[in-house]
Amino acid sequence: ALATSEELNPIPPPRDGEPLPSGTLPARRLALLAVLAASVGRPVPRPHLISLLWPDADPDRGERSLHQALQALRKDLGADVVLGAGELRLDRTLIACDLWDVDAAVQAGRLEDAADASAGPFLAGAEFPGLGELTRWVAEERADRARVLADVLQRLAERAGEAGDHADAI
């Protein structure tokens, strides 16, 4: 009875190694993946996900909605990419994410790789009407990720300038 058009309209799963086409997932499933991906392997408590994605639902209804979204994602992606019970995280052996690639490259000091791995603004073009807290979270995450990339680009420009490569510095 809780199934919505989001849950009833499955998409064909992507082929192994191919990115999920932009705009393929319904908003809440996209947001669920985004929140889990942005946690960079740290588990996210189910109540936190429910409060972001179903803020007006009572706990039981929110839990059922999350369960349905997880089942739909399993079908959408052709694999169970979400691990955990009380706290959830993405299975990094089954799914890749540019956020993780950027973070790993920055931590390793591979600035060129970090800049190359960035796929643009976080959730660019995604909208979540009626989900104010999620919208605020996305804006904060987008700003944080933009600051990291700006720092990477600044450091690359400084490095190129110090090496006398003014074209690359620009």
Side-chain angles (χ1 to χ4, degrees):
L2 291 176
T4 67
S5 61
E6 280 188 5
E7 283 77 30
L8 297 176
N9 293 323
I11 60 168
R15 293 194 303 244
D16 285 350
E18 289 189 6
L20 191 63
S22 177
T24 306
L25 289 178
R28 281 195 171 101
R29 282 186 248 161
L30 173 64
L32 176 57
L33 276 179
V35 171
L36 294 173
S39 73
V40 192
R42 291 180 315 275
V44 179
R46 291 175 85 96
H48 178 67
L49 292 167
I50 292 167
S51 72
L52 286 174
L53 301 172
W54 296 278
D56 297 329
D58 64 69
D60 288 339
R61 184 168 179 241
E63 185 58 46
R64 285 192 303 272
S65 296
L66 177 58
H67 178 76
Q68 287 179 341
L70 290 168
Q71 285 185 325
L73 269 179
R74 206 171 286 126
K75 289 178 186 173
D76 293 341
L77 302 177
D80 192 4
V81 299
V82 179
L83 300 173
E87 295 182 323
L88 305 178
R89 62 185 169 79
L90 292 177
D91 185 342
R92 294 177 76 144
T93 65
L94 294 178
I95 194 167
C97 176
D98 63 316
L99 300 177
W100 303 337
D101 296 340
V102 170
D103 288 350
V106 167
Q107 289 176 359
R110 298 185 331 267
L111 301 181
E112 293 87 357
D113 292 344
D116 289 343
S118 178
F122 182 75
L123 290 180
E127 294 184 23
F128 304 100
L131 299 175
E133 187 61 31
L134 176 65
T135 300
R136 280 186 288 284
W137 176 85
V138 168
E140 290 171 9
E141 191 69 27
R142 185 178 293 142
D144 289 347
R145 300 245 167 224
R147 278 190 291 278
V148 168
L149 184 58
D151 180 60
V152 164
L153 295 175
Q154 178 68 35
R155 291 165 53 194
L156 285 171
E158 289 170 359
R159 186 184 298 168
E162 290 168 3
D165 188 348
H166 300 294
D168 268 357
I170 293 171

